[in-house]
């Protein structure tokens, strides 16, 4: 049976979105997702995201397969795209339009993920603000062996690619290793990134963020994502980078994070300790798959 899909991007981090609300299991296998993500022989994406029925009182469930077929706990840019996708689905299903003011869909959702419940909100300016929850800082929570299980990993040395790096580790429901450098453009990401990801100190592998501080409220970031490689943006990574920056005294609690694909606004609330991420999500095109071949496609033109 043909499968309809939509492609969305958040700061260039792009995803194939599938309406999977009829089933609690993804309609595609990880191997099929790999084929779809291939940028030469498939649609091309950093991952495939499935909108499944909610669990335990949530509105929806998010599952994602990376471009290598692995399944991460969550994805920050991906959940913004999922929220926009869900809102578009719901808006299209409201018939007839409301008697006053036309159709209306929800603007806030509670989404079940493998990293816990995440709450995105679609703002009137087109941005999506996401309550990313609390960062996890203990070594056992990340997980990493760079410190005792009940200790934080802050400015700890690690040997990677014949060099000693000072790293801080944070979990946003998925593992992140953050290191501050003088010039992010000088980092050989394709060489260093895989060595961080597969370092034995990270038993579940890790995402790695390289950060250049421009001002206390503005940083530049490049990222090697676990299971996806070099990407133009990483939402959970931007959150983890600001947490790390605060912990080492380099960043304010509200900081703009410049990535190759654009800028995310990150706030680590002092009172609640929760992280808030704000950024764009945009539909690129919609299409239909038949036996993993694209049989039709409609481009979304953005002015």
């Amino acid at each position: 049976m043909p499968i309809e899909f939509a492609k969305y991007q958040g700061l260039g981090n792009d995803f194939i979105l599938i309406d999977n609300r009829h089933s609690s299991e993804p309609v595609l296998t990880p191997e099929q997702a790999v084929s779809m993500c291939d940028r030469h022989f498939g649609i091309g994406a950093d991952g495939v995201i499935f909108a499944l029925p909610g669990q335990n009182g949530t509105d929806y469930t998010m599952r994602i397969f990376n471009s290598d077929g692995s399944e991460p706990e969550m994805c920050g840019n991906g959940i913004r795209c999922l929220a926009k996708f869900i809102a578009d689905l719901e808006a299209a299903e409201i018939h007839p339009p409301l008697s006053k003011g036309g159709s209306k869909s929800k603007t806030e959702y509670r989404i079940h993920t493998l990293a816990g419940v995440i709450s995105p909100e679609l703002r009137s300016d087109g941005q999506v603000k996401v309550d990313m929850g609390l960062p996890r800082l203990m070594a056992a929570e990340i997980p990493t062996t760079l410190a005792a299980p009940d200790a934080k990993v802050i400015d700890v040395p690690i040997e990677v690619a014949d060099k000693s790096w000072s790293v801080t580790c944070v979990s946003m429901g998925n593992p992140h290793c953050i290191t501050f450098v003088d010039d992010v453009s000088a980092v050989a990401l394709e060489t260093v990134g895989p060595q961080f990801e597969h370092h034995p100190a990270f038993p579940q592998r890790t995402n790695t963020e390289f950060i250049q501080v421009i001002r206390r409220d503005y940083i530049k970031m490049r990222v090697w994502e676990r299971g996806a490689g070099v990407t133009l943006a990483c939402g959970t990574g931007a959150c983890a980078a600001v947490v790390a920056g605060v912990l080492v005294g380099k960043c304010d609690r509200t900081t703009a994070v410049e990535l190759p694909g654009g800028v995310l606004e990150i706030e680590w609330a002092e009172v609640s300790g929760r992280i808030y991420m704000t950024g764009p999500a945009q539909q690129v095109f919609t299409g239909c798959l038949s036996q993993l071949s694209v049989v039709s496609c409609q481009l979304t033109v953005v002015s």
Side-chain angles (χ1 to χ4, degrees):
M1 179 178 294
I3 299 173
E4 294 184 352
F5 70 91
K7 185 171 178 179
Y8 285 70
Q9 62 88 13
L11 300 184
N13 204 188
D14 55 345
F15 305 94
I16 299 162
L17 279 295
I18 294 178
D19 181 358
N20 210 124
R21 292 175 295 173
H22 61 283
S23 173
S24 59
E25 290 296 325
V27 294
L28 300 178
T29 66
E31 292 75 20
Q32 289 172 322
V34 170
S35 297
M36 291 178 67
C37 290
D38 190 291
R39 298 190 182 275
H40 299 287
F41 297 99
I43 297 166
D46 292 320
V48 179
I49 297 175
F50 306 88
L52 292 87
Q55 303 179 39
N56 302 321
T58 58
D59 298 303
Y60 294 93
T61 294
M62 174 186 184
R63 294 278 300 276
I64 175 171
F65 294 146
N66 284 325
S67 57
D68 70 348
S70 62
E71 182 172 7
E73 296 85 353
M74 216 281 290
C75 174
N77 288 317
I79 203 161
R80 293 200 318 277
C81 291
L82 176 61
K84 185 66 169 64
F85 174 63
I86 289 168
D88 290 343
L89 286 177
E90 291 183 346
E93 292 172 348
I94 298 177
H95 300 293
L98 300 178
S99 59
K100 295 181 180 180
S103 299
K104 183 179 180 181
S105 61
K106 288 183 63 173
T107 58
E108 296 183 45
Y109 300 97
R110 296 182 72 249
I111 298 177
H112 181 274
T113 77
L114 296 180
V117 177
I118 306 295
S119 301
E121 174 189 359
L122 281 73
R123 301 196 323 190
S124 58
D125 62 0
Q127 298 280 293
V128 182
K129 182 177 181 178
V130 185
D131 179 349
M132 299 287 286
L134 300 170
R136 304 165 195 175
L137 303 177
M138 299 306 171
E141 297 174 312
I142 291 165
T144 180
T145 59
L146 288 174
D150 59 350
K152 297 176 182 178
V153 181
I154 301 175
D155 259 345
V156 172
I158 185 174
E159 294 293 324
V160 177
D162 299 321
K163 177 182 175 181
S164 180
W165 306 74
S166 181
V167 301
T168 298
C169 295
V170 178
S171 173
M172 292 302 306
N174 56 351
H176 293 273
C177 176
I178 301 97
T179 184
F180 292 86
V181 298
D182 293 331
D183 182 3
V184 289
S185 64
V187 177
L189 206 56
E190 294 83 355
T191 301
V192 178
Q195 296 186 53
F196 268 100
E197 178 182 355
H198 296 280
H199 194 283
F202 302 101
Q204 295 181 14
R205 299 187 292 163
T206 189
N207 302 280
T208 309
E209 287 77 32
F210 300 86
I211 308 299
Q212 178 182 347
V213 178
I214 305 302
R215 302 188 307 267
R216 289 190 59 87
D217 65 348
Y218 197 100
I219 61 178
K220 288 185 176 182
M221 168 178 146
R222 293 178 69 203
V223 58
W224 177 272
E225 287 200 54
R226 179 186 61 166
V230 177
T231 60
L232 295 179
C234 177
T236 55
C239 293
V242 171
V243 171
V246 172
L247 292 175
V248 300
K250 295 180 182 291
C251 293
D252 294 338
R253 283 183 170 267
T254 299
T255 295
V257 182
E258 179 186 332
L259 303 117
V263 177
L264 288 172
E265 297 292 336
I266 308 297
E267 177 192 359
W268 187 14
E270 188 165 7
V271 175
S272 68
R274 303 184 75 83
I275 305 263
Y276 297 92
M277 170 191 65
T278 303
Q282 186 178 73
Q283 186 186 95
V284 179
F285 62 83
T286 59
C288 185
L289 292 167
S290 178
Q291 296 181 346
L292 292 187
S293 297
V294 180
V295 295
S296 65
C297 180
Q298 181 174 341
L299 180 66
T300 300
V301 179
V302 179
S303 58

